[in-house]
């Protein structure tokens, strides 16, 4: 350490502390500002009919977002079904079978790169691959685009969670003659259950607010999302984009804020649930 | 004897099959990365052949005559990302440090909670908030305090909103890194007479350099590719940045604006832009890994 | 792995396509007529229980999608020329007429108070005239107090049929514009701010003091923006409204327009609005399924006849009955399934 005078060091410490408090207040003020706006503009839109009625064009009364809610649910569920099995299996590979080798390091590197890929490129990828070749936009294509974003996240978090399971558990199971795969499933995965779930939920929270990948795959519609595989499927984020940017009509913009409020609350709750559930697991 | 043989053979085979299944799943991520890269190159080839290297340094964007250049988009991306990092990294560092080192649990829990909330806000809401609230605010702010005629749309606003977006991520990771510094090390430093700040700077930061850098790179990655938040406020003109208050575009914004309408050489140029973006992300990752390896070696880990 | 995935997806989609009972109609394209099209799809579903899905993604996207067959019909403000229609086997017909208006946000200036002519408009949008109190503008508006402030030009950031109509007009009235910038769905804007789609431009104009932009008329009305009077070809200053759009459309010679290609900018007529446009529907001549083709044409027929009142309420001009008759006759002639004609006019 450099030799500095006591006075200098003490005042530097005090200045930094003041700065910290200032910036912390700034950060909290910021978040309050944004949340306040969302609540302020979004709350007026919320009503029973908002949750129950489907989206309607400008000029028609009683528009809601029920179909968009359902659509987002379907699309996200689809994304989970596509991305979770390979994600967890891949995580198992990296943590159980191949901890440190050129191959596994390359896989980790690829996962890191994929996690940083802008979501719009994932949307383009699925558009060129699926939408263009099957000649239709669909909720399924949207799920695929979201799954591509979720997959590397689940891969890495699964690996991290599984790694934390102590080797003694594995060794005792193997010593008893349990085959490798059974060890992994019923011993290792089971004890990392909470962590794995957290990884999946965090990935879901990550894609819950994504718009760009759905713009080129699922588009949106005023219809109920029951032709998920073959038609543009309504969803919350693209609907918000439509209402906020494709409509100078105030009533539509209010609906956009209302939908934004719902997404905010949903993702927030998911995050809080993960944090508390995971913390509980950790403490255990 | 036969049943025993069956019991011995099947689990082994199954284990092998299982292992291959897992390996295949893991490899999938590399395949995806390769596939994305190949697809972008394939569709970008016509533009690459037409414009060549000039594409990277040309700021011409003429849809009527089909001449395109990537310079406005690339420089816009770089500028907004730089602004975002310059603002977000120091603030995240100080806030994370404060939360772990100095704050009482009564204070740090709600603040951490607030940061988590900020991270959970979807990007389109940042865009909407930016457009409806922040842009007029910036306009008034600069007019009343500095007398500058700033419309509120532009690189500065875009960079600041990006900073808001990546701040909670970087901060959350930095906070986790600081938490992992063993108290023994810190207490030893306190015992030697260090102030709070010196402990944070000289001990915690150096100990957690790996993780801290990881946080910065994560923020960088998100900032480079962010579409919706920037799209609403950056002005959307194909201009090379000449001032912070100017309007321009980023690669992601250009893609979002033009892709659905595009055909022919424009579409190919957009794919080339996407390729450039992917290479940037890749570059960030590679730099990050190399730096981290160097730091680990310095600290004697490897 | 990816090939398997691709095959799996194709199979799933194929299977579920069989599973869907009443096939809905999918269309995409221009945002210019979107307010009307959306209400039409909604009302049609209520009346006839057939679902029509319209995505307002822009004229260019609409043309792209019908060309790549990802939708059943495309909508575009920019008409395709006969050669291009024939190359892709498309048929094109006009659905609505409307006006592109110039909106401005100048403190102190009221709706339809400011007067401009085409050449000045071109100079403003190219950045040649940068301040509102420029002598050219002042001389056209003697008696109106114009503040000394910079002009903030707002244009489209995405490719757009509305831009095509607007720049088409500017090319006609300004040789300089035609030479340096040109006409297209997207052009080399040299000044200003880009807004996404019509509402993006409307929002930006609302937020920027001293802003000027161009939007479809409905958006100006509903966003409560002030419009500007323009000098038309006959030398008269006109206000944008349904009457001035109708006047521009009245002189159109539909009989002699191949593929109904018609551009209504800068038309003659004392009352005509100089930036009027027609918006078109594109569909394939050779349809695959007779029932679906009939369903599609029935929808358009309904739009022409029952949809006219909605169009007028939203300040668009419906296509005149004589033209409708012409269009439906060409449906009868040109649209076939396996060589057999589908429509009985």
């Amino acid at each position: 350490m450099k030799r500095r005078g006591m006075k200098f060091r003490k005042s530097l410490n005090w200045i930094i502390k003041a700065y910290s408090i200032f910036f912390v207040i700034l950060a909290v003020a910021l978040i309050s500002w944004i949340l306040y706006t969302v609540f302020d503009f979004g709350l007026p839109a919320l009503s029973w009919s908002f949750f129950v009625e489907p989206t309607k064009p400008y000029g028609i009364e009683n528009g809601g977002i029920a179909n968009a809610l359902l659509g987002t649910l379907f699309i996200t569920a689809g994304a989970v079904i596509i991305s979770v099995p390979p994600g967890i299996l891949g995580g198992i590979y990296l943590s159980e079978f191949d901890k440190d080798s050129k191959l596994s390091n390359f896989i980790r590197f690829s996962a890191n790169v994929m996690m940083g890929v802008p979501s719009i490129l994932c949307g383009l990828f699925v558009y060129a691959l699926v939408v263009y070749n099957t000649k239709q936009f669909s909720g399924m294509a949207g799920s695929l685009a979201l799954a591509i974003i979720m997959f590397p996240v689940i891969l890495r978090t699964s690996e991290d969670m599984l790694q934390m399971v102590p080797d003694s558990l594995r060794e005792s199971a193997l010593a008893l003659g349990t085959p490798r795969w059974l060890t992994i499933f019923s011993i290792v995965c089971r004890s990392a259950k909470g962590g794995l779930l957290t990884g999946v939920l965090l990935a879901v929270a990550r894609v819950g607010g994504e718009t760009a990948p759905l713009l080129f795959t699922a588009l949106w519609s005023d219809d109920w999302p029951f032709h998920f595989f073959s038609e543009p499927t309504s969803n919350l984020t693209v609907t918000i984009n439509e209402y906020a940017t494709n409509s100078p009509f105030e009533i539509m913009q209010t609906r956009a804020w209302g939908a934004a409020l719902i997404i905010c609350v949903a993702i927030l709750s998911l995050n809080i649930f993960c944090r508390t559930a995971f913390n509980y697991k950790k403490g255990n | 004897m036969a049943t025993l043989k069956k019991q011995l053979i099947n689990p082994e085979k199954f284990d092998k099959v299982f292992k291959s299944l897992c390996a295949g799943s893991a490899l999938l991520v590399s395949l995806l990365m390769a596939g994305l890269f190949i697809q972008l190159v394939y569709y970008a080839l016509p533009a690459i052949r037409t414009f060549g290297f000039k594409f990277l340094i040309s700021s011409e964007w003429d849809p009527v005559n089909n001449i395109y250049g990537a310079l406005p988009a690339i420089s816009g991306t770089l500028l907004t990302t730089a602004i975002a990092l310059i603002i977000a990294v120091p603030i995240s560092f100080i806030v994370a440090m404060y939360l772990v080192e100095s704050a009482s649990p009564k204070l740090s829990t709600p603040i951490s909670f607030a940061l988590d909330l900020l991270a959970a806000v979807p990007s389109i809401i940042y865009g909407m908030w930016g457009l409806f609230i922040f842009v007029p605010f910036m306009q008034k702010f600069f007019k009343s305090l500095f007398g500058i005629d700033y419309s509120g749309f532009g690189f500065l606003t875009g960079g600041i909103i990006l900073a808001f977006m990546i701040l909670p991520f970087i901060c959350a990771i930095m906070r986790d890194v600081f938490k992992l510094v063993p108290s023994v090390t810190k207490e030893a430093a306190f015992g030697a007479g260090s102030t709070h700040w010196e402990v944070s700077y000289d001990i915690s930061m150096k100990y957690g350099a790996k993780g801290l850098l990881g946080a910065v790179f994560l923020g960088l990655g998100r900032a480079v590719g962010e579409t919706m938040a920037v799209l609403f406020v950056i002005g959307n003109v194909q201009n090379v940045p000449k001032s912070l208050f100017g309007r321009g575009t980023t690669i992601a914004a250009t893609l979002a604006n033009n892709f659905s309408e595009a055909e022919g050489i424009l579409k190919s140029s957009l794919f080339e832009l996407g390729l450039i973006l992917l290479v940037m992300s890749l570059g960030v990752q590679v730099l990050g890994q190399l730096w981290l390896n160097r730091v680990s070696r310095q600290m004697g880990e490897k | 792995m990816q090939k398997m995935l691709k095959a799996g997806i194709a199979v799933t989609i194929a299977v579920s396509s069989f599973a869907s009972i009443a096939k809905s109609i999918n269309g995409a394209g221009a945002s210019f007529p979107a307010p009307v099209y959306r209400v039409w799809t909604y009302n049609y579903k209520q009346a006839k229980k057939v679902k029509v899905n319209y995505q307002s993604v822009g004229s260019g996207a609409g043309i792209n999608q019908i060309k790549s067959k990802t939708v059943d019909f495309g909508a575009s403000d920019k008409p395709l020329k006969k050669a291009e229609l024939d190359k892709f086997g498309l048929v094109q017909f006009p659905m609505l007429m409307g006006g592109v208006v110039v909106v401005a946000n100048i403190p102190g200036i009221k709706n339809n108070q400011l007067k401009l002519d085409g050449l000045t408009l071109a100079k403003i949008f190219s950045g040649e005239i940068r301040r509102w109190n420029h002598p050219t503008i002042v001389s056209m508006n003697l008696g109106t107090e114009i503040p000394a402030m910079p002009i903030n030009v707002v244009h489209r950031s995405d490719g757009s049929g509305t831009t095509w109509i607007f720049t088409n007009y500017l090319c006609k009235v300004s040789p300089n514009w035609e030479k340096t910038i040109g006409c297209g769905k997207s052009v080399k804007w040299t000044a200003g701010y880009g807004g996404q789609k019509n509402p993006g431009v409307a929002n930006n104009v609302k937020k920027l003091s001293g802003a000027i932009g161009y939007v479809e008329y409905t958006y100006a009305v509903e966003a409560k923006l002030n419009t500007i009077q323009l000098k038309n070809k006959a030398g008269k200053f006109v206000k944008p409204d349904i009457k001035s759009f109708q006047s521009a459309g009245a002189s159109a010679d539909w009989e002699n327009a191949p593929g109904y290609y018609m551009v209504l900018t800068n038309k003659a007529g004392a009352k005509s609005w100089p930036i009027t446009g027609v918006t078109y529907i594109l569909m394939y001549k050779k349809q695959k399924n007779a029932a679906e083709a009939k369903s599609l044409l029935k929808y358009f027929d309904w739009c022409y006849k029952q949809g006219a009142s909605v169009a007028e309420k939203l300040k668009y001009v419906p296509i005149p009955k004589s033209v409708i008759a012409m269009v439906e006759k060409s449906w009868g002639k040109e649209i076939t399934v396996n060589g057999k004609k589908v429509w009985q006019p």
Side-chain angles (χ1 to χ4, degrees):
Chain A
M1 279 187 249
K2 290 202 288 219
R3 287 176 90 231
R4 314 164 198 145
M6 197 59 205
K7 243 192 189 164
F8 171 76
R9 291 167 59 202
K10 269 201 165 151
S11 28
L12 184 63
N13 193 44
W14 192 89
I15 294 177
I16 303 281
K17 251 205 174 120
Y19 258 126
S20 320
I21 299 183
F22 170 68
F23 279 125
V24 166
I25 295 178
L26 195 71
V28 175
L30 190 68
I31 210 304
S32 320
W33 193 10
I34 298 182
L35 277 184
Y36 172 73
T37 311
V38 177
F39 271 91
D40 187 28
F41 285 17
L43 226 43
L46 297 185
S47 64
W48 180 245
S49 67
F50 191 66
F51 285 99
V52 176
E53 295 284 335
T55 54
K56 301 200 181 92
Y58 172 70
I60 314 270
E61 301 273 305
N62 264 338
I65 53 163
N67 56 340
L69 273 170
L70 207 57
T72 297
L73 226 78
F74 283 5
I75 293 179
T76 315
V80 168
I81 292 174
I82 299 176
S83 64
V84 168
I88 294 190
L89 287 177
I92 291 176
Y93 179 75
L94 286 177
S95 103
E96 306 295 316
F97 289 116
D98 195 353
K99 283 199 185 60
D100 198 4
S101 74
K102 269 198 168 161
L103 180 65
S104 64
N105 283 331
F106 180 66
I107 293 176
R108 281 191 198 94
F109 173 74
S110 317
N112 285 338
V113 171
M114 285 305 290
M115 284 206 286
V117 165
S119 53
I120 192 171
L121 289 181
C122 295
L124 256 62
F125 181 65
V126 176
Y127 175 80
L129 203 63
V130 178
V131 176
Y132 188 73
N133 287 321
T134 58
K135 305 275 179 247
Q136 55 199 355
F137 294 90
S138 62
M140 194 66 208
S143 291
L144 207 58
L146 291 185
I148 294 180
I149 303 174
M150 286 173 73
F151 173 54
V153 179
I154 298 180
L155 190 86
R156 292 294 259 117
T157 51
S158 302
E159 182 200 349
D160 289 339
M161 295 304 157
L162 290 169
Q163 282 240 11
M164 294 208 293
V165 175
D167 273 335
S168 48
L169 273 167
R170 293 188 186 84
E171 284 159 12
S172 29
L174 288 170
L176 286 171
T178 324
R180 199 74 188 279
W181 65 273
L182 196 58
T183 315
I184 294 174
F185 269 125
S186 50
I187 309 293
V188 182
C189 282
R190 196 172 280 174
S191 61
K193 209 167 45 178
L196 290 175
L197 184 64
T198 309
V200 173
L201 288 177
L202 283 174
V204 169
R206 161 91 194 263
V207 294
E210 288 287 347
T211 316
L214 295 177
L215 276 176
F216 305 121
T217 49
L219 281 184
W220 75 294
S221 96
D222 274 336
D223 198 13
W224 294 97
F226 293 130
H227 294 287
F228 175 71
F229 289 105
S230 55
E231 279 174 24
T233 307
S234 61
N235 57 82
L236 276 174
T237 45
V238 181
T239 304
I240 294 177
N241 185 47
E242 271 290 306
Y243 283 2
T245 63
N246 227 354
S247 163
F249 312 131
E250 288 215 13
I251 184 171
M252 303 305 260
Q253 286 177 356
T254 313
R255 290 186 196 159
W257 284 108
L261 178 57
I262 294 178
I263 293 192
C264 247
V265 170
I267 296 187
L268 255 49
S269 322
L270 208 55
N271 270 307
I272 295 170
F273 175 71
C274 286
R275 284 245 158 209
T276 49
F278 182 50
N279 278 339
Y280 174 67
K281 259 287 160 186
K282 227 182 175 177
N284 240 14
Chain B
M1 211 63 215
T3 32
L4 199 63
K5 247 194 182 166
K6 238 199 197 161
Q7 275 188 329
L8 283 174
I9 296 177
N10 276 348
E12 267 183 43
K13 228 188 186 172
F14 198 84
D15 262 345
K16 278 218 174 95
V17 169
F18 183 67
K19 184 172 175 187
S20 334
L21 194 65
C22 291
S25 303
L27 270 170
L28 194 60
V29 76
S30 303
L31 281 173
L32 269 175
M33 183 181 80
L36 187 59
F37 193 76
I38 294 173
Q39 187 206 51
L40 288 175
V41 171
Y42 175 71
Y43 284 109
L45 275 176
I48 298 177
R49 271 191 229 120
T50 316
F51 301 120
F53 184 69
K54 250 180 50 183
F55 188 69
L56 293 174
I57 50 177
S58 156
S59 52
E60 199 70 52
W61 192 270
D62 192 348
V64 176
N65 294 314
N66 270 321
I67 303 178
Y68 304 105
L71 194 61
I74 296 179
S75 44
T77 302
L78 290 174
L79 181 60
T80 49
T81 306
I83 296 175
L85 283 175
I86 291 174
I87 299 177
V89 172
I91 298 184
S92 306
F93 182 80
I94 292 182
V95 172
M97 185 185 74
Y98 179 74
L99 284 177
V100 177
E101 308 285 340
S102 317
S104 61
K106 255 193 281 182
L107 218 64
S108 69
T109 322
I111 297 179
S112 300
F113 182 71
L115 281 171
D116 281 340
L117 289 181
L118 206 57
V121 172
S123 54
I124 191 167
I125 293 177
Y126 278 104
M128 283 170 68
W129 177 82
L131 178 63
F132 290 112
I133 309 277
F134 198 60
V135 161
F137 169 78
M138 289 290 271
Q139 196 178 43
K140 279 190 218 109
F141 181 75
F142 278 94
K143 194 61 191 279
S144 49
L145 276 182
F146 302 108
I148 303 179
D149 250 324
Y150 180 43
S151 61
F153 292 98
F155 296 109
L156 186 60
T157 312
I160 293 180
I161 293 199
L162 268 184
F164 291 172
M165 281 196 71
I166 62 177
L167 199 147
F169 286 102
I170 303 181
C171 195
I173 300 186
M174 285 189 174
R175 186 189 55 198
D176 289 339
V177 168
F178 280 134
K179 272 199 193 142
L180 285 175
V181 177
S183 1
V184 184
T185 321
K186 286 194 278 193
E187 279 158 22
F190 278 125
S194 312
T195 61
H196 257 129
W197 161 246
E198 279 163 359
V199 169
S200 305
Y201 182 70
D202 290 322
I203 307 296
S204 298
M205 192 172 93
K206 302 244 166 83
Y207 190 90
K210 195 173 179 176
L212 293 177
L213 249 144
V216 175
F217 277 109
L218 190 77
L220 178 58
R222 273 221 90 169
V224 157
E226 182 47 52
T227 316
M228 301 315 291
V230 179
L231 185 63
F232 289 30
V233 303
I234 196 153
N236 289 313
V237 220
Q238 293 287 336
N239 266 342
V240 178
K242 293 191 198 77
S243 100
L244 280 177
F245 299 122
R247 274 110 40 212
T249 184
T250 64
I251 297 181
T254 304
L255 280 174
N257 269 323
N258 291 299
F259 189 74
S260 52
E261 294 268 331
E263 47 177 359
I265 212 70
L266 176 58
K267 199 166 197 166
S268 183
S269 306
L270 291 177
F271 271 107
E272 193 176 345
L273 275 176
L275 185 63
I276 295 174
L277 191 57
L278 184 64
V279 168
M280 273 189 195
S281 296
L282 229 132
V284 165
Q285 286 302 320
V286 170
L287 273 173
Q289 297 283 51
L290 288 176
W291 191 281
L292 287 174
N293 285 343
R294 208 173 130 235
V295 169
S296 319
R297 242 176 283 138
Q298 263 184 354
M299 288 177 42
E301 255 179 43
K302 281 217 171 129
Chain C
M1 192 79 193
Q2 276 181 353
K3 251 201 175 157
M4 271 210 299
L5 204 66
K6 207 165 143 185
I9 295 164
V11 167
T12 319
I13 293 177
V15 166
S16 45
S17 301
F18 282 125
S20 17
I21 312 162
K23 188 169 189 292
S24 55
I25 300 175
N26 283 318
S31 63
F32 180 86
V36 177
Y37 287 2
R38 300 291 307 289
V39 178
W40 279 351
T41 60
Y42 184 78
N43 288 345
Y44 193 65
K45 177 159 170 217
Q46 307 294 92
K48 306 278 181 178
K49 308 280 180 261
V50 175
K51 277 180 286 170
V52 184
N53 222 349
Y54 182 73
Q55 306 271 351
S56 157
V57 286
S59 301
I63 297 177
N64 280 347
Q65 287 194 35
I66 187 70
K67 277 186 185 168
S68 46
K69 300 200 175 132
T70 44
V71 286
D72 300 311
F73 70 89
S76 167
D77 306 329
K78 172 184 177 212
L80 297 181
K81 296 234 168 86
K82 192 84 180 24
E84 203 175 349
L85 290 172
D86 288 337
K87 179 170 160 203
F88 286 93
L90 290 168
V91 66
Q92 165 178 276
F93 47 91
M95 203 70 210
L96 272 183
M97 290 189 272
V100 175
V101 302
V102 181
V103 287
N105 178 5
I106 313 169
I109 305 254
K110 299 201 222 43
N111 193 23
N112 284 331
Q113 192 181 9
L114 195 70
K115 299 193 179 117
L116 290 174
D117 71 2
L119 191 60
T120 317
L121 195 62
K123 289 196 180 147
I124 293 177
F125 272 88
S126 65
E128 221 183 297
I129 295 183
R130 289 174 206 239
R131 299 192 74 83
W132 281 113
N133 57 335
H134 191 275
T136 320
I137 302 180
V138 173
S139 63
M140 257 179 262
N141 289 280
L142 298 167
T144 313
E145 175 92 40
I146 302 187
M149 62 189 307
I151 304 183
N152 284 318
V153 172
V154 181
H155 53 77
R156 291 286 288 268
S157 61
D158 51 323
S160 145
T162 315
T163 301
W164 186 84
I165 298 175
F166 186 63
T167 50
N168 181 288
Y169 169 67
L170 290 180
C171 279
K172 283 185 179 164
V173 294
S174 161
N176 192 33
W177 181 278
E178 180 162 25
K179 207 168 42 163
T180 53
I181 302 186
C183 163
K185 291 196 301 264
S186 184
V187 295
K188 186 174 61 176
W189 297 105
T190 49
Y193 299 75
Q196 259 212 319
K197 306 227 177 66
N198 271 305
V201 174
N203 270 331
N204 284 357
V205 171
K206 241 189 167 163
K207 293 204 167 21
L208 286 165
S209 208
I212 185 172
Y214 59 91
V215 288
E216 199 285 325
Y217 185 54
T218 303
Y219 291 96
V221 171
E222 298 296 339
K224 300 192 185 55
L225 288 168
N226 290 338
T227 52
I228 289 182
Q229 292 191 41
L230 278 181
K231 198 187 231 185
N232 63 15
K233 196 163 183 191
K236 301 257 186 287
F237 285 107
V238 267
K239 292 187 216 161
D241 58 30
I242 298 196
K243 292 214 173 54
S244 52
F245 306 153
Q246 268 170 339
S247 169
S251 55
D253 182 9
W254 294 102
E255 285 270 352
N256 294 317
Y260 296 104
Y261 185 96
M262 182 70 59
V263 182
L264 293 178
T265 51
N266 213 26
K267 280 280 177 189
K271 295 213 186 82
S272 300
W273 176 251
I275 326 181
T276 310
V278 187
T279 186
Y280 294 85
I281 299 284
L282 296 156
M283 58 184 276
Y284 279 95
K285 282 197 202 150
K286 296 210 176 96
Q287 294 282 321
K288 286 191 229 128
N289 179 319
E292 282 173 19
K294 255 212 196 109
S295 170
L296 191 57
L297 292 174
K298 269 207 194 122
Y299 170 64
F300 292 132
D301 177 63
W302 181 94
C303 291
Y304 274 138
K305 307 203 173 116
Q306 273 85 344
S309 51
V310 166
E312 279 171 348
K313 201 167 81 170
L314 286 170
K315 318 265 191 303
Y316 290 77
V317 180
I319 301 289
K321 291 208 176 70
S322 53
V323 185
I324 297 179
M326 255 189 263
V327 168
E328 299 208 350
K329 223 163 83 179
S330 41
W331 288 349
K333 264 200 319 193
E334 300 192 2
I335 302 193
T336 59
V337 175
N338 292 328
K340 275 205 286 206
K341 300 209 174 120
V342 183
W343 183 255
Q344 265 34 286

